[in-house]
Amino acid sequence: MAILRIIFNRPIQVLTHPGIIEITTALRYICSAGEYELEVHWTEKILKKESQAKGTTLLSHSSLDPQKPAADIDLANAALLTFPYLENYVDLVTMELNAIASVMNGAKPRRYAVLGSGPLPMTSICILRALQNDCKAVTVGNFDCDSWAISKSSILSDHIGYSKEEMHHHCIDVESEDYDLRCFQVVYLASLVGITTKMKQRAINSIVKQMSPGSLLVLRGAHSLRSLLYPTFLILPSVYCQNAPSSSKRGLVYVPNDDHPSDDSIWVSDTSDLTWYYNYLSTPSPVFDNATQLQFVPMLWGQSTTFLSDVTAQIESGANISYVLAFNEPDGGTTTGGSAMPADMAAEIWQREVEPLKEMGVKLGGPAVTGAPNGFVWLQNFFNACNGNCSVDFMPVHWYGNFEGLASHVGQVRGTYQNMTMWVTEYANNNVGLEQSQSFYNQSSQFFDRIDYITHYSYFGSFRSSVSNVGPNAAMLTEEGELTDIGSWYLGGSATGNTPRGAAGRSFVFAGSSVVVFLASIWSVL
């Protein structure tokens, strides 16, 4: 046995070290074998718990909580509730189903397939129990190349109360192409199907050929140090996604730079396809007075007694004011740019300063809360305080983090406010490496462009990397004021190769291709 003793400062040093590269595949095989044995142990443990009563009622999604008593369920289900990673599966599947809902424009898929389901089909179980109250006749197909695993999984499904219609099982090799996935609306690919990137890609290529047009492929993988244990899947062929290098949905979050006022001209250049902007103020920025291609969207940032009069004056002077935004992160603190307003106070100000604009034909944007769970609580309190007197037309969304979190959050917002369209008015993958920032940008822009209910979006990065408060790699300008790859892509151009200060390495995703390096990514098969 060889012992590798190396001191690293950053994950990239680990992943690129020759000694680590040499043992990565072996580590993944060990991880795969370990997870398999874990599932075998728990499957056999659960199967030993014979049901003491027939006709047991299935657990609801809320029952999938290890903290809740299992008084009225059979012993097999009781044993399942003690599985140590149950909560992880519940959280992951919940996040994925929210993301799927956001992609499907409110439609609820009922036919799922899980490839690489193993002897303990936890993903399938969580899907069924999460959806059984919302969708009728949900069915999940379990697929695995291990006949023993499929056999045990089938027996386990029966023990915990699922019929053959609800959960069925098939032994296949995903690279054989001797199977048919056309009846499924959503296909999951487990993270350990394909130990190497090449094997993973071959599996993906095979699977897509068996799927029907318009169905979704959910890919589980890893990035950073987790890729030592789970395989990555780097570049997806163009068959999986559509590239939209330009979009009329894109707008500008204007952040002035008094030290470099010439930067402002970049956003209104002849090659820019931006169509609207906001500046966190109720009045437009004079620098864009002659920029007829940019429509100004006023914002009521926080407390104000002049917002209504400011906007009314613009309308009366002939300005095209079609939309307004309100309350920037009222659930957040002032140190991070939030307006920190109580919901009842915001409701009172809204009715006085915003609601009258409805009669002038202006579309009203709701409060732009943070992406934290407390944002939903704040909004509920706001609408309760409004008592039906706040006529919101669209919901602004803010998100800072990775793509799967963004997609899940969009799905939650859509599920909560189904009758409203959505604007994503601030978003970025903050304080991460250049590769992750660029991959996030490419995935999110394609995601927004293909969803009908997202009508506008504005990337938070219209500043130099040297002054960026979301990390240099998220910025659209270098420290010298040149467009980064993200900046150029956002304006509808091609990669520039300009690296922001503090970033290392080459560009990872170029317009025209997509990269998936996240925990779960969703693609529509064209």
Side-chain angles (χ1 to χ4, degrees):
M1 175 183 291
I3 299 177
L4 200 62
R5 182 181 180 185
I6 312 168
I7 298 177
F8 300 105
N9 293 321
R10 293 184 299 161
I12 191 64
Q13 292 178 300
V14 177
L15 300 175
T16 59
H17 190 279
I20 297 297
I21 293 174
E22 184 178 351
I23 64 173
T24 294
T25 299
L27 285 174
R28 290 175 182 167
Y29 274 110
I30 293 171
C31 178
S32 177
E35 290 202 10
Y36 181 83
E37 291 301 325
L38 175 71
E39 290 192 18
V40 168
H41 169 78
W42 276 91
T43 300
E44 293 179 337
K45 179 176 180 177
I46 294 169
L47 291 178
K48 289 178 181 177
K49 304 290 186 180
E50 294 294 336
S51 178
Q52 294 183 330
K54 300 299 182 182
T56 301
T57 302
L58 287 180
L59 294 172
S60 67
H61 178 51
S62 61
S63 297
L64 276 175
D65 184 346
Q67 305 300 320
K68 293 188 176 182
D72 299 323
I73 60 177
D74 61 42
L75 293 179
N77 274 301
L80 180 63
L81 290 179
T82 64
F83 180 59
Y85 299 106
L86 173 62
E87 189 173 352
N88 299 59
Y89 273 98
V90 171
D91 291 344
L92 176 59
V93 170
T94 299
M95 178 185 68
E96 291 166 341
L97 292 178
N98 284 332
I100 290 169
S102 70
V103 173
M104 298 292 284
N105 288 322
K108 296 181 178 180
R110 295 186 293 114
R111 301 183 301 277
Y112 294 78
V114 179
L115 307 186
S117 54
L120 183 61
M122 288 304 304
T123 294
S124 303
I125 293 170
C126 289
I127 290 172
L128 282 172
R129 291 178 173 172
L131 297 176
Q132 64 184 9
N133 293 328
D134 297 329
C135 304
K136 294 183 179 179
V138 177
T139 182
V140 180
N142 294 294
F143 296 81
D144 203 284
C145 64
D146 188 323
S147 58
W148 186 92
I150 284 295
S151 174
K152 290 297 183 181
S153 176
S154 179
I155 297 171
L156 175 68
S157 300
D158 180 64
H159 273 239
I160 60 178
Y162 288 116
S163 67
K164 300 296 189 227
E165 289 75 26
E166 291 173 307
M167 190 180 294
H168 46 96
H169 300 77
H170 311 271
C171 185
I172 65 157
D173 180 353
V174 295
E175 292 188 31
S176 69
E177 300 187 7
D178 187 24
Y179 57 98
D180 190 349
L181 299 173
R182 287 175 296 177
C183 65
F184 297 102
Q185 296 165 290
V186 180
V187 176
Y188 273 75
L189 181 62
S191 58
L192 285 170
V193 175
I195 293 297
T196 66
T197 298
K198 184 178 291 187
M199 293 168 65
K200 173 75 75 174
Q201 193 64 59
R202 284 203 308 265
I204 294 173
N205 292 342
S206 172
I207 291 164
V208 169
K209 294 177 183 178
Q210 314 308 318
M211 296 171 63
S212 61
S215 55
L216 298 180
L217 177 60
V218 180
L219 305 174
R220 285 179 175 171
H223 66 88
S224 191
L225 291 179
R226 290 188 180 90
S227 64
L228 291 173
L229 301 180
Y230 298 96
T232 59
F233 35 99
L234 295 180
I235 301 178
L236 290 175
S238 59
V239 67
Y240 305 129
C241 55
Q242 291 177 303
N243 175 53
S246 61
S247 172
S248 60
K249 296 182 179 183
R250 294 178 193 162
L252 174 69
V253 186
Y254 178 56
V255 181
N257 187 337
D258 294 337
D259 294 332
H260 302 283
S262 59
D263 291 351
D264 295 336
S265 62
I266 295 173
W267 316 121
V268 291
S269 65
D270 293 338
T271 57
S272 171
D273 65 350
L274 302 183
T275 60
W276 62 281
Y277 83 98
Y278 76 99
N279 57 7
Y280 300 99
L281 302 173
S282 59
T283 55
S285 300
V287 68
F288 298 131
D289 282 349
N290 297 321
T292 56
Q293 72 270 40
L294 283 184
Q295 181 182 12
F296 175 61
V297 180
M299 172 183 272
L300 172 60
W301 184 84
Q303 298 185 44
S304 174
T305 58
T306 63
F307 183 77
L308 177 59
S309 59
D310 289 343
V311 177
T312 301
Q314 294 172 62
I315 295 173
E316 291 176 348
S317 69
N320 178 19
I321 304 296
S322 303
Y323 311 95
V324 293
L325 299 168
F327 305 124
N328 185 67
E329 300 190 352
D331 59 315
T334 56
T335 57
T336 56
S339 53
M341 293 186 63
D344 55 349
M345 178 188 294
E348 179 183 346
I349 295 174
W350 170 287
Q351 293 173 65
R352 185 186 70 238
E353 299 292 329
V354 180
E355 188 66 26
L357 294 170
K358 188 82 170 181
E359 297 180 1
M360 304 180 195
V362 179
K363 299 290 186 181
L364 311 181
V369 298
T370 66
N374 187 59
F376 288 98
V377 177
W378 192 98
L379 284 172
Q380 183 178 9
N381 293 336
F382 170 80
F383 283 112
N384 287 340
C386 285
N387 195 27
N389 295 316
C390 300
S391 307
V392 175
D393 294 297
F394 62 91
M395 289 302 297
V397 169
H398 286 190
W399 180 260
Y400 292 96
N402 55 26
F403 175 73
E404 71 270 17
L406 167 66
S408 178
H409 184 65
V410 166
Q412 284 184 279
V413 175
R414 179 61 173 177
T416 306
Y417 303 102
Q418 298 181 12
N419 297 322
M420 303 179 192
T421 55
M422 192 181 305
W423 291 30
V424 183
T425 51
E426 282 188 27
Y427 74 101
N429 196 3
N430 55 313
N431 300 310
V432 297
L434 182 60
E435 295 176 353
Q436 289 173 270
S437 287
Q438 293 178 338
S439 180
F440 170 84
Y441 170 77
N442 278 273
Q443 291 186 83
S444 57
S445 61
Q446 292 176 24
F447 177 64
F448 297 151
D449 287 332
R450 69 172 178 259
I451 296 181
D452 293 339
Y453 60 79
I454 295 180
T455 62
H456 297 67
Y457 64 91
S458 49
Y459 182 78
F460 189 75
S462 59
F463 33 73
R464 298 193 178 201
S465 59
S466 53
V467 297
S468 172
N469 64 343
V470 288
N473 297 316
M476 290 197 280
L477 300 176
T478 68
E479 67 278 9
E480 299 297 331
E482 300 172 310
L483 282 171
T484 63
D485 289 345
I486 289 177
S488 182
W489 293 332
Y490 191 70
L491 298 186
S494 57
T496 63
N498 297 326
T499 303
R501 189 178 70 183
R506 60 178 178 81
S507 300
F508 197 58
V509 187
F510 295 91
S513 64
S514 294
V515 172
V516 183
V517 290
F518 297 111
L519 179 62
S521 294
I522 300 176
W523 297 96
S524 176
V525 178
L526 305 179

